[in-house]
């Protein structure tokens, strides 16, 4: 196996023996080696600047664009590299591990926007938003809502209506990575003829039509990704900037947005964990305690820390790659074009929940232990460990949060997928009947009268 290099020197972290190269094609290994080279030459240095000054990592993203990575999963006929889900997982992991986590998360959201468009590509969308990607055009997703937090599939503060042959759309988002810096935004709103919160539509809005205040972004970690509030204030967009048919938003979310986001973000957390292990190896093999003649790496406790961290992280990496492989198999390596109503990636959505939960949980644990392994020196900013620790902490709380995901999985296992009730359309019959038992006859009568009054009021409004 070829030696991993860092510039002209052998890499100071874990060697190639600890990377699952068998899941990558020769082309994908070449792309990874190129990414490591770009990280060594420029991206890792830029990461410090972004962290220190809250600087959006445009330089890194434009560098990725010049080498084709902004169109990684776009078919070659449209100017892309024509790569698949495994290549995407590798790319996100590599950028986070060797380069810049803020860049990696901006890249994940960019690819999420690109792949949402490519799920329902049209000539107009391809010409305006896809072909220019290699020139550095940056997109992002804006799916959150200030009223529902990480329940981003429930966009209360949004809407769309038909207007002048196109659409007038409004959107308020609580968290939008690259907000105020992206060239285009893929947004989800309620549909023009809204019939309920599973009736959603997807639009592409140009960057100059959104309002953001990135100067207010000042976070614990991922300080360059500018994930702040955003508003689309009733803007007019052409009719050809809807993605898919009206009402396709829920299907688009399950088939494209969630799968690509969860594979990408999981890979970022895996990359951060590996990057922290790399730094710990460098520090502990170089730092010597002269009084006892031992390096820090010679202590069994440190070896235990690192050994467990490598095994846990590689388990998360392989889990992520295996789900990416499943999606590759279901989509003929990202070449299958799906019509509305057809699903492939969505069949593995509950596996995507699991990889995100495990990767986010693992990276928080690993960066903490690697800081312990490095001792007091790990607190110093010049070692970079503290930045990896702060960046990794975002994994748990980034939506869907780990609290949401573990309840999704547990509830689906115990009660079935129908019990998840994304759109809040069913009630808990067991709970209601139990509460009714607590009422006496008068209490039940009063409740019945209240309910009948509400039914009459709603019937009157509906008739009007």
């Amino acid at each position: 196996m070829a030696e991993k290099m860092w510039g002209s020197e052998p890499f100071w972290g874990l060697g190639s023996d600890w990377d699952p190269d068998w899941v990558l094609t020769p082309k994908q290994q070449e792309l990874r080696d190129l990414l490591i080279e770009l990280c060594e030459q420029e991206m890792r240095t830029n990461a410090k600047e972004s962290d220190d000054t809250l600087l959006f990592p445009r330089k890194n993203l434009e560098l990725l664009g010049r080498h084709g990575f902004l169109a990684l999963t776009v078919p070659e006929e449209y100017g892309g590299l024509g790569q698949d889900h495994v290549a995407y997982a590798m790319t996100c992991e590599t950028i986070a591990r060797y380069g810049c986590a803020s860049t990696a998360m901006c890249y994940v959201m960019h690819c999420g926007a690109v792949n949402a468009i490519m799920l329902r590509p049209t000539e107009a969308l391809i010409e305006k938003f896809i072909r220019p990607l290699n020139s550095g055009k940056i997109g992002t997703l804006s799916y959150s809502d200030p009223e529902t937090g990480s329940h981003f599939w429930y966009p209360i503060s949004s809407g769309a209506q038909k207007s002048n042959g196109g659409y007038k759309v409004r959107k308020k988002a609580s968290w939008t990575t690259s907000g105020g810096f992206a060239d285009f935004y893929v947004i989800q709103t309620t549909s023009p003829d809204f019939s309920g919160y599973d009736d959603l539509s997807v639009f592409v809005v140009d960057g100059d039509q959104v309002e953001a205040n990135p100067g207010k972004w000042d976070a614990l970690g991922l300080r360059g990704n500018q994930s702040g509030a955003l508003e689309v204030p009733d803007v007019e967009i052409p009719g050809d900037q809807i993605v898919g048919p009206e009402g396709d938003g829920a299907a688009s979310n399950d088939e494209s947005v969630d799968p690509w986001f969860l594979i990408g973000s999981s890979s970022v957390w895996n990359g951060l964990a590996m990057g922290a292990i790399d730094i710990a190896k460098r520090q502990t093999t170089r730092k010597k305690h002269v009084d006892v003649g031992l390096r820090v790496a010679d202590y069994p406790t440190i070896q235990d820390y690192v050994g467990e961290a490598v095994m846990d992280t590689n388990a998360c990496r392989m889990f992520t790659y295996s789900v990416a492989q499943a999606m590759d198999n279901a989509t003929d390596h990202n070449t299958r074009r799906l019509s509305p109503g057809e699903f492939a990636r969505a069949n593995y959505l509950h596996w995507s929940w699991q990889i995100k939960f495990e990767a986010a949980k693992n990276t928080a644990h690993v960066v903490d232990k690697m800081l312990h392994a490095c001792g007091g020196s790990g607190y110093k900013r010049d070692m970079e460990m503290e930045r990896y620790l702060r960046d990794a902490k975002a994994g748990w709380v980034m939506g869907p949060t780990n609290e949401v995901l573990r309840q999704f999985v547990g509830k689906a296992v115990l009660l079935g997928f129908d019990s998840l009730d994304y759109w809040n359309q069913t009630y808990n019959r067991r709970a209601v009947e139990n509460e009714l038992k607590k009422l006496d006859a008068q209490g039940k009568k009063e409740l019945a009268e209240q309910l009948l009054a509400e039914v009459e009021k709603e019937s009157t409004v509906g008739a009007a």
Side-chain angles (χ1 to χ4, degrees):
M1 188 173 289
E3 185 175 28
K4 188 185 299 184
M5 302 298 292
W6 190 251
S8 60
E9 301 291 333
F11 180 56
W12 38 264
L14 275 66
S16 299
D17 288 338
W18 302 102
D19 292 322
D21 283 358
W22 63 87
V23 303
L24 304 178
T25 66
K27 175 61 177 177
Q28 290 165 355
Q29 292 181 37
E30 290 177 12
L31 291 173
R32 183 196 54 198
D33 293 344
L34 172 58
L35 282 168
I36 294 175
E37 182 180 335
L38 297 177
C39 288
E40 186 273 331
Q41 291 176 350
E42 185 171 348
M43 292 175 69
R44 196 177 185 103
T45 299
N46 292 341
K48 185 178 188 309
E49 184 180 18
S50 286
D51 187 65
D52 287 346
T53 66
L54 301 172
L55 180 69
F56 181 69
R58 181 171 292 277
K59 289 188 291 186
N60 282 352
L61 292 164
E62 290 177 347
L63 179 64
L64 291 169
R66 289 197 294 273
H67 292 274
F69 287 100
L70 294 183
L72 176 74
T73 56
V74 173
E76 293 179 358
E77 63 189 284
Y78 303 135
L81 296 180
Q83 287 295 318
D84 58 17
H85 302 80
V86 167
Y88 170 64
M90 174 278 296
T91 300
C92 298
E93 177 189 294
T94 303
I95 296 170
R97 177 179 179 179
Y98 302 98
C100 172
S102 287
T103 302
M105 278 311 307
C106 292
Y107 181 77
V108 168
M109 303 304 283
H110 164 83
C111 289
V114 168
N115 284 298
I117 293 172
M118 292 308 301
L119 179 67
R120 311 281 190 240
T122 64
E123 184 176 347
L125 291 173
I126 288 170
E127 288 300 318
K128 184 170 184 180
F129 300 107
I130 301 302
R131 290 193 186 277
L133 290 176
N134 290 335
S135 66
K137 199 176 186 74
I138 300 165
T140 195
L141 295 168
S142 186
Y143 273 53
S144 63
D145 189 285
E147 299 297 327
T148 56
S150 65
H151 295 193
F152 61 86
W153 58 90
Y154 217 114
I156 289 177
S157 306
S158 75
Q161 64 187 75
K162 296 176 183 178
S163 175
N164 300 320
Y167 296 93
K168 180 182 287 187
V169 297
R170 59 180 173 83
K171 171 78 177 180
K172 287 185 179 180
S174 49
W175 305 94
T176 299
T177 295
S178 306
F181 294 93
D183 299 299
F184 63 91
Y185 297 77
V186 174
I187 69 170
Q188 180 174 257
T189 76
T190 54
S191 294
D193 298 317
F194 179 57
S195 62
Y197 274 100
D198 54 349
D199 182 12
L200 308 173
S201 296
V202 179
F203 303 93
V204 189
V205 179
D206 293 287
D208 59 4
Q209 293 181 292
V210 308
E211 296 178 0
N213 193 344
K216 291 185 176 180
W217 173 252
D218 190 356
L220 173 70
L222 297 179
R223 288 167 59 81
N225 76 350
Q226 301 295 332
S227 187
L230 177 139
E231 182 173 2
V232 180
D234 276 323
V235 302
E236 299 268 358
I237 64 171
D240 58 13
Q241 286 184 208
I242 187 172
V243 183
E246 293 177 12
D248 188 52
S252 171
N253 184 70
D254 287 353
E255 180 57 37
S256 182
V257 173
D258 258 11
W260 286 104
F261 171 74
L262 291 169
I263 286 179
S265 60
S266 300
S267 300
V268 170
W269 314 133
N270 293 336
L272 279 166
M274 290 302 296
I277 299 169
D278 289 330
I279 294 171
K281 179 189 175 184
R282 178 180 61 186
Q283 169 66 9
T284 60
T285 56
R286 295 179 181 179
K287 175 66 176 178
K288 186 176 182 179
H289 292 160
V290 178
D291 55 334
V292 293
L294 296 175
R295 300 170 302 170
V296 175
D298 294 323
Y299 290 98
T301 297
I302 303 302
Q303 295 164 7
D304 290 348
Y305 279 171
V306 173
E308 181 179 16
V310 169
M311 289 186 284
D312 287 348
T313 303
N314 272 330
C316 290
R317 295 170 82 190
M318 290 309 302
F319 192 7
T320 302
Y321 280 126
S322 70
V323 174
Q325 287 176 324
M327 293 185 188
D328 282 338
N329 292 336
T331 60
D332 298 327
H333 290 272
N334 197 34
T335 62
R336 182 181 167 200
R337 290 289 164 248
L338 301 169
S339 301
E342 285 188 283
F343 296 97
R345 301 171 189 87
N347 297 328
Y348 300 95
L349 186 54
H350 58 298
W351 290 98
S352 301
W353 298 338
Q354 295 175 71
I355 62 174
K356 188 273 179 178
F357 179 91
E358 291 299 332
K361 181 176 72 170
N362 176 70
T363 195
H365 177 73
V366 166
V367 295
D368 190 56
K369 287 299 182 184
M370 294 305 97
L371 177 65
H372 296 173
C374 292
S377 297
Y379 259 60
K380 297 172 62 179
R381 300 196 70 197
D382 58 359
M383 189 180 290
E384 300 181 293
M385 180 66 79
E386 60 86 31
R387 186 179 79 235
Y388 275 69
L389 186 147
R390 288 186 286 105
D391 289 343
K393 291 296 183 182
W396 188 279
V397 298
M398 188 171 289
T401 66
N402 274 27
E403 284 81 7
V404 168
L405 291 176
R406 66 186 175 193
Q407 188 188 46
F408 273 5
V409 172
K411 195 171 186 178
V413 167
L414 295 172
L415 306 177
F417 286 104
D418 290 343
S419 69
L420 296 179
D421 189 24
Y422 298 128
W423 317 110
N424 201 33
Q425 293 173 324
T426 61
Y427 72 97
N428 189 326
R429 179 179 292 273
R430 292 176 184 273
V432 170
E433 291 177 349
N434 183 65
E435 291 301 309
L436 288 175
K437 291 177 183 177
K438 301 176 184 178
L439 297 176
D440 59 17
Q442 181 61 30
K444 290 177 181 178
K445 181 180 178 181
E446 292 174 358
L447 177 60
E449 291 173 348
Q450 177 186 336
L451 292 174
L452 287 171
E454 291 179 5
V455 168
E456 184 176 353
K457 181 179 179 181
E458 290 175 6
S459 298
T460 303
V461 171

